[in-house]
Amino acid sequence: MRYKEIMEKHSVAPIKPLNPSQARIEALKKQKERAKSALDAERKRQKVSKAQENLRKAVSA
């Protein structure tokens, strides 16, 4: 392939900078996703902790 053919297939459009309001919206979206994943992780942690406690009680009984 020639350089021109490669560049036509793999051209990357430049990313325009966001204006302040768009940047705020993007930041809030990312914050929401981080909070959601932290909430899911905490729920899983508590579920595992509760299961371990139940297992401990069952073994000792």
Side-chain angles (χ1 to χ4, degrees):
M1 287 187 141
R2 293 187 175 136
Y3 178 76
K4 184 177 179 181
E5 294 171 343
I6 293 171
M7 292 308 294
E8 286 175 357
K9 287 185 180 182
H10 301 295
S11 65
V12 177
I15 300 173
K16 296 180 182 178
L18 301 175
N19 65 32
S21 61
Q22 290 172 331
R24 178 163 168 72
I25 289 172
E26 288 300 314
L28 289 171
K29 284 180 183 178
K30 289 178 184 176
Q31 183 181 3
K32 179 186 116 180
E33 290 300 318
R34 284 192 302 269
K36 183 177 184 251
S37 63
L39 178 63
D40 291 341
E42 181 62 21
R43 283 186 175 148
K44 287 178 184 177
R45 187 196 66 75
Q46 288 182 9
K47 187 176 181 180
V48 167
S49 178
K50 185 176 180 181
Q52 287 175 340
E53 183 63 31
N54 289 340
L55 184 62
R56 228 177 281 128
K57 286 179 183 178
V59 169
S60 67

